[in-house]
Amino acid sequence: MAEIAMRHALHARGLRAQVSSAGVNALPDQSAHPTCIEVVARAGLGVLSSHRSRLLSSLMLGEADFVLCMGHDHRQSILARSPQYAGRVRLLGHWQGIEIADPVSGPVEGFEECLESMNDCIGQWIDRLSRQGLLQ
């Protein structure tokens, strides 16, 4: 959800950036959760039916300028594997001082709340990165 929400937010502001997603413990080539697909479509953000999961790799981290993760546990896992990228890895909810929980085992409302939190946090990141001249 975060990848498609970020793409949508950047596009809506006329900004461009390369955006991709990968999971810390993802099983490769899995489709998005059906409720996630539904919530993203209802929000008008796009279609996730062709999305496939990827496991985060050191190569991906090395190519990234910036990595946003959902929770402290994700960040710690990334840094345990690749501590040299500590300066690139931040929480998506950093500016609000929050972690964003994975709604996968909960009801549709959890997915909706998760997406709403993501959108709020994404907006804050885009604002700050734009002001710093890092997004155009």
Side-chain angles (χ1 to χ4, degrees), residues 106-128:
V108 67
E109 293 82 12
F111 284 83
E112 292 165 344
E113 290 169 11
C114 179
L115 182 57
E116 184 177 329
S117 291
M118 286 178 178
N119 282 327
D120 291 344
C121 294
I122 286 167
Q124 291 176 339
W125 275 107
I126 291 174
D127 289 345
R128 289 173 184 270

PDB file of all heavy atoms in Angstrom, residues 106-128:
ATOM      1  N   GLY A 106      -6.320  -8.345  10.399  1.00  0.00           N
ATOM      2  CA  GLY A 106      -7.499  -7.677  10.938  1.00  0.00           C
ATOM      3  C   GLY A 106      -8.581  -7.400   9.909  1.00  0.00           C
ATOM      4  O   GLY A 106      -8.492  -7.823   8.756  1.00  0.00           O
ATOM      5  N   PRO A 107      -9.591  -6.653  10.334  1.00  0.00           N
ATOM      6  CA  PRO A 107     -10.731  -6.339   9.467  1.00  0.00           C
ATOM      7  C   PRO A 107     -10.388  -5.244   8.447  1.00  0.00           C
ATOM      8  O   PRO A 107      -9.340  -4.596   8.531  1.00  0.00           O
ATOM      9  CB  PRO A 107     -11.777  -5.831  10.464  1.00  0.00           C
ATOM     10  CG  PRO A 107     -10.970  -5.226  11.562  1.00  0.00           C
ATOM     11  CD  PRO A 107      -9.744  -6.091  11.670  1.00  0.00           C
ATOM     12  N   VAL A 108     -11.292  -5.024   7.526  1.00  0.00           N
ATOM     13  CA  VAL A 108     -11.092  -4.035   6.471  1.00  0.00           C
ATOM     14  C   VAL A 108     -10.827  -2.644   7.047  1.00  0.00           C
ATOM     15  O   VAL A 108     -10.046  -1.875   6.496  1.00  0.00           O
ATOM     16  CB  VAL A 108     -12.283  -4.028   5.478  1.00  0.00           C
ATOM     17  CG1 VAL A 108     -13.564  -3.524   6.140  1.00  0.00           C
ATOM     18  CG2 VAL A 108     -11.965  -3.212   4.240  1.00  0.00           C
ATOM     19  N   GLU A 109     -11.433  -2.337   8.180  1.00  0.00           N
ATOM     20  CA  GLU A 109     -11.226  -1.028   8.805  1.00  0.00           C
ATOM     21  C   GLU A 109      -9.762  -0.813   9.169  1.00  0.00           C
ATOM     22  O   GLU A 109      -9.248   0.310   9.103  1.00  0.00           O
ATOM     23  CB  GLU A 109     -12.107  -0.864  10.056  1.00  0.00           C
ATOM     24  CG  GLU A 109     -13.590  -0.813   9.769  1.00  0.00           C
ATOM     25  CD  GLU A 109     -14.230  -2.194   9.586  1.00  0.00           C
ATOM     26  OE1 GLU A 109     -13.587  -3.217   9.898  1.00  0.00           O
ATOM     27  OE2 GLU A 109     -15.380  -2.250   9.110  1.00  0.00           O
ATOM     28  N   GLY A 110      -9.079  -1.868   9.543  1.00  0.00           N
ATOM     29  CA  GLY A 110      -7.657  -1.778   9.856  1.00  0.00           C
ATOM     30  C   GLY A 110      -6.838  -1.406   8.633  1.00  0.00           C
ATOM     31  O   GLY A 110      -5.890  -0.615   8.723  1.00  0.00           O
ATOM     32  N   PHE A 111      -7.201  -1.944   7.488  1.00  0.00           N
ATOM     33  CA  PHE A 111      -6.527  -1.610   6.241  1.00  0.00           C
ATOM     34  C   PHE A 111      -6.794  -0.150   5.870  1.00  0.00           C
ATOM     35  O   PHE A 111      -5.889   0.560   5.425  1.00  0.00           O
ATOM     36  CB  PHE A 111      -6.999  -2.527   5.107  1.00  0.00           C
ATOM     37  CG  PHE A 111      -6.425  -3.905   5.156  1.00  0.00           C
ATOM     38  CD1 PHE A 111      -6.989  -4.877   5.962  1.00  0.00           C
ATOM     39  CD2 PHE A 111      -5.325  -4.248   4.381  1.00  0.00           C
ATOM     40  CE1 PHE A 111      -6.471  -6.159   6.005  1.00  0.00           C
ATOM     41  CE2 PHE A 111      -4.801  -5.528   4.414  1.00  0.00           C
ATOM     42  CZ  PHE A 111      -5.369  -6.486   5.232  1.00  0.00           C
ATOM     43  N   GLU A 112      -8.022   0.283   6.071  1.00  0.00           N
ATOM     44  CA  GLU A 112      -8.374   1.669   5.758  1.00  0.00           C
ATOM     45  C   GLU A 112      -7.620   2.642   6.665  1.00  0.00           C
ATOM     46  O   GLU A 112      -7.109   3.665   6.192  1.00  0.00           O
ATOM     47  CB  GLU A 112      -9.889   1.859   5.886  1.00  0.00           C
ATOM     48  CG  GLU A 112     -10.660   1.107   4.828  1.00  0.00           C
ATOM     49  CD  GLU A 112     -12.150   0.980   5.121  1.00  0.00           C
ATOM     50  OE1 GLU A 112     -12.577   1.198   6.274  1.00  0.00           O
ATOM     51  OE2 GLU A 112     -12.890   0.647   4.177  1.00  0.00           O
ATOM     52  N   GLU A 113      -7.557   2.330   7.946  1.00  0.00           N
ATOM     53  CA  GLU A 113      -6.826   3.179   8.892  1.00  0.00           C
ATOM     54  C   GLU A 113      -5.330   3.193   8.566  1.00  0.00           C
ATOM     55  O   GLU A 113      -4.683   4.241   8.647  1.00  0.00           O
ATOM     56  CB  GLU A 113      -7.045   2.688  10.320  1.00  0.00           C
ATOM     57  CG  GLU A 113      -8.450   2.925  10.816  1.00  0.00           C
ATOM     58  CD  GLU A 113      -8.748   2.210  12.135  1.00  0.00           C
ATOM     59  OE1 GLU A 113      -7.795   1.696  12.773  1.00  0.00           O
ATOM     60  OE2 GLU A 113      -9.922   2.161  12.516  1.00  0.00           O
ATOM     61  N   CYS A 114      -4.799   2.053   8.194  1.00  0.00           N
ATOM     62  CA  CYS A 114      -3.395   1.956   7.831  1.00  0.00           C
ATOM     63  C   CYS A 114      -3.109   2.847   6.621  1.00  0.00           C
ATOM     64  O   CYS A 114      -2.137   3.612   6.621  1.00  0.00           O
ATOM     65  CB  CYS A 114      -3.041   0.502   7.521  1.00  0.00           C
ATOM     66  SG  CYS A 114      -1.336   0.239   7.021  1.00  0.00           S
ATOM     67  N   LEU A 115      -3.944   2.768   5.608  1.00  0.00           N
ATOM     68  CA  LEU A 115      -3.757   3.576   4.408  1.00  0.00           C
ATOM     69  C   LEU A 115      -3.881   5.060   4.724  1.00  0.00           C
ATOM     70  O   LEU A 115      -3.104   5.874   4.231  1.00  0.00           O
ATOM     71  CB  LEU A 115      -4.750   3.168   3.319  1.00  0.00           C
ATOM     72  CG  LEU A 115      -4.624   3.898   1.995  1.00  0.00           C
ATOM     73  CD1 LEU A 115      -3.228   3.748   1.398  1.00  0.00           C
ATOM     74  CD2 LEU A 115      -5.683   3.399   1.019  1.00  0.00           C
ATOM     75  N   GLU A 116      -4.816   5.413   5.581  1.00  0.00           N
ATOM     76  CA  GLU A 116      -4.975   6.818   5.979  1.00  0.00           C
ATOM     77  C   GLU A 116      -3.718   7.320   6.694  1.00  0.00           C
ATOM     78  O   GLU A 116      -3.220   8.413   6.409  1.00  0.00           O
ATOM     79  CB  GLU A 116      -6.198   6.977   6.879  1.00  0.00           C
ATOM     80  CG  GLU A 116      -6.488   8.411   7.251  1.00  0.00           C
ATOM     81  CD  GLU A 116      -7.752   8.545   8.090  1.00  0.00           C
ATOM     82  OE1 GLU A 116      -8.685   7.743   7.929  1.00  0.00           O
ATOM     83  OE2 GLU A 116      -7.781   9.477   8.918  1.00  0.00           O
ATOM     84  N   SER A 117      -3.191   6.514   7.597  1.00  0.00           N
ATOM     85  CA  SER A 117      -1.944   6.889   8.294  1.00  0.00           C
ATOM     86  C   SER A 117      -0.794   7.021   7.308  1.00  0.00           C
ATOM     87  O   SER A 117      -0.005   7.974   7.377  1.00  0.00           O
ATOM     88  CB  SER A 117      -1.579   5.844   9.351  1.00  0.00           C
ATOM     89  OG  SER A 117      -2.490   5.867  10.405  1.00  0.00           O
ATOM     90  N   MET A 118      -0.694   6.064   6.395  1.00  0.00           N
ATOM     91  CA  MET A 118       0.354   6.135   5.380  1.00  0.00           C
ATOM     92  C   MET A 118       0.248   7.417   4.569  1.00  0.00           C
ATOM     93  O   MET A 118       1.249   8.104   4.349  1.00  0.00           O
ATOM     94  CB  MET A 118       0.278   4.936   4.441  1.00  0.00           C
ATOM     95  CG  MET A 118       0.744   3.654   5.017  1.00  0.00           C
ATOM     96  SD  MET A 118       0.524   2.344   3.786  1.00  0.00           S
ATOM     97  CE  MET A 118       1.184   0.961   4.681  1.00  0.00           C
ATOM     98  N   ASN A 119      -0.947   7.741   4.130  1.00  0.00           N
ATOM     99  CA  ASN A 119      -1.135   8.945   3.322  1.00  0.00           C
ATOM    100  C   ASN A 119      -0.740  10.203   4.079  1.00  0.00           C
ATOM    101  O   ASN A 119      -0.086  11.091   3.524  1.00  0.00           O
ATOM    102  CB  ASN A 119      -2.584   9.049   2.827  1.00  0.00           C
ATOM    103  CG  ASN A 119      -2.861   8.150   1.656  1.00  0.00           C
ATOM    104  OD1 ASN A 119      -1.993   7.905   0.825  1.00  0.00           O
ATOM    105  ND2 ASN A 119      -4.073   7.640   1.590  1.00  0.00           N
ATOM    106  N   ASP A 120      -1.108  10.295   5.343  1.00  0.00           N
ATOM    107  CA  ASP A 120      -0.716  11.445   6.163  1.00  0.00           C
ATOM    108  C   ASP A 120       0.803  11.547   6.267  1.00  0.00           C
ATOM    109  O   ASP A 120       1.378  12.617   6.096  1.00  0.00           O
ATOM    110  CB  ASP A 120      -1.313  11.345   7.571  1.00  0.00           C
ATOM    111  CG  ASP A 120      -2.818  11.522   7.606  1.00  0.00           C
ATOM    112  OD1 ASP A 120      -3.399  12.018   6.616  1.00  0.00           O
ATOM    113  OD2 ASP A 120      -3.425  11.154   8.633  1.00  0.00           O
ATOM    114  N   CYS A 121       1.437  10.432   6.564  1.00  0.00           N
ATOM    115  CA  CYS A 121       2.891  10.413   6.728  1.00  0.00           C
ATOM    116  C   CYS A 121       3.609  10.683   5.413  1.00  0.00           C
ATOM    117  O   CYS A 121       4.619  11.408   5.382  1.00  0.00           O
ATOM    118  CB  CYS A 121       3.333   9.074   7.311  1.00  0.00           C
ATOM    119  SG  CYS A 121       2.739   8.789   9.002  1.00  0.00           S
ATOM    120  N   ILE A 122       3.117  10.127   4.338  1.00  0.00           N
ATOM    121  CA  ILE A 122       3.699  10.355   3.015  1.00  0.00           C
ATOM    122  C   ILE A 122       3.642  11.837   2.673  1.00  0.00           C
ATOM    123  O   ILE A 122       4.618  12.410   2.184  1.00  0.00           O
ATOM    124  CB  ILE A 122       2.988   9.492   1.951  1.00  0.00           C
ATOM    125  CG1 ILE A 122       3.432   8.029   2.100  1.00  0.00           C
ATOM    126  CG2 ILE A 122       3.246  10.021   0.541  1.00  0.00           C
ATOM    127  CD1 ILE A 122       2.588   7.039   1.321  1.00  0.00           C
ATOM    128  N   GLY A 123       2.517  12.468   2.949  1.00  0.00           N
ATOM    129  CA  GLY A 123       2.390  13.899   2.692  1.00  0.00           C
ATOM    130  C   GLY A 123       3.434  14.711   3.438  1.00  0.00           C
ATOM    131  O   GLY A 123       4.030  15.643   2.893  1.00  0.00           O
ATOM    132  N   GLN A 124       3.683  14.335   4.681  1.00  0.00           N
ATOM    133  CA  GLN A 124       4.701  15.039   5.472  1.00  0.00           C
ATOM    134  C   GLN A 124       6.096  14.836   4.899  1.00  0.00           C
ATOM    135  O   GLN A 124       6.888  15.781   4.830  1.00  0.00           O
ATOM    136  CB  GLN A 124       4.644  14.582   6.924  1.00  0.00           C
ATOM    137  CG  GLN A 124       3.396  15.043   7.625  1.00  0.00           C
ATOM    138  CD  GLN A 124       3.293  14.507   9.034  1.00  0.00           C
ATOM    139  OE1 GLN A 124       3.919  13.519   9.387  1.00  0.00           O
ATOM    140  NE2 GLN A 124       2.499  15.173   9.854  1.00  0.00           N
ATOM    141  N   TRP A 125       6.421  13.616   4.486  1.00  0.00           N
ATOM    142  CA  TRP A 125       7.728  13.370   3.883  1.00  0.00           C
ATOM    143  C   TRP A 125       7.890  14.157   2.588  1.00  0.00           C
ATOM    144  O   TRP A 125       8.941  14.767   2.350  1.00  0.00           O
ATOM    145  CB  TRP A 125       7.944  11.876   3.638  1.00  0.00           C
ATOM    146  CG  TRP A 125       8.470  11.172   4.842  1.00  0.00           C
ATOM    147  CD1 TRP A 125       7.799  10.310   5.660  1.00  0.00           C
ATOM    148  CD2 TRP A 125       9.784  11.279   5.387  1.00  0.00           C
ATOM    149  NE1 TRP A 125       8.611   9.881   6.677  1.00  0.00           N
ATOM    150  CE2 TRP A 125       9.843  10.461   6.533  1.00  0.00           C
ATOM    151  CE3 TRP A 125      10.924  12.000   5.027  1.00  0.00           C
ATOM    152  CZ2 TRP A 125      10.994  10.327   7.306  1.00  0.00           C
ATOM    153  CZ3 TRP A 125      12.075  11.870   5.798  1.00  0.00           C
ATOM    154  CH2 TRP A 125      12.096  11.048   6.919  1.00  0.00           C
ATOM    155  N   ILE A 126       6.872  14.134   1.750  1.00  0.00           N
ATOM    156  CA  ILE A 126       6.962  14.861   0.479  1.00  0.00           C
ATOM    157  C   ILE A 126       7.133  16.352   0.728  1.00  0.00           C
ATOM    158  O   ILE A 126       7.962  17.005   0.082  1.00  0.00           O
ATOM    159  CB  ILE A 126       5.733  14.562  -0.408  1.00  0.00           C
ATOM    160  CG1 ILE A 126       5.797  13.108  -0.895  1.00  0.00           C
ATOM    161  CG2 ILE A 126       5.681  15.524  -1.599  1.00  0.00           C
ATOM    162  CD1 ILE A 126       4.558  12.655  -1.658  1.00  0.00           C
ATOM    163  N   ASP A 127       6.383  16.907   1.665  1.00  0.00           N
ATOM    164  CA  ASP A 127       6.530  18.332   1.996  1.00  0.00           C
ATOM    165  C   ASP A 127       7.966  18.648   2.407  1.00  0.00           C
ATOM    166  O   ASP A 127       8.573  19.596   1.911  1.00  0.00           O
ATOM    167  CB  ASP A 127       5.583  18.730   3.135  1.00  0.00           C
ATOM    168  CG  ASP A 127       4.128  18.755   2.742  1.00  0.00           C
ATOM    169  OD1 ASP A 127       3.826  18.741   1.524  1.00  0.00           O
ATOM    170  OD2 ASP A 127       3.280  18.768   3.660  1.00  0.00           O
ATOM    171  N   ARG A 128       8.506  17.871   3.313  1.00  0.00           N
ATOM    172  CA  ARG A 128       9.851  18.137   3.838  1.00  0.00           C
ATOM    173  C   ARG A 128      10.933  17.925   2.781  1.00  0.00           C
ATOM    174  O   ARG A 128      11.858  18.738   2.661  1.00  0.00           O
ATOM    175  CB  ARG A 128      10.121  17.276   5.065  1.00  0.00           C
ATOM    176  CG  ARG A 128       9.304  17.756   6.259  1.00  0.00           C
ATOM    177  CD  ARG A 128       9.440  16.825   7.428  1.00  0.00           C
ATOM    178  NE  ARG A 128       8.592  17.221   8.526  1.00  0.00           N
ATOM    179  CZ  ARG A 128       8.958  18.057   9.498  1.00  0.00           C
ATOM    180  NH1 ARG A 128      10.156  18.575   9.509  1.00  0.00           N
ATOM    181  NH2 ARG A 128       8.109  18.356  10.453  1.00  0.00           N
TER     182      ARG A 128
END
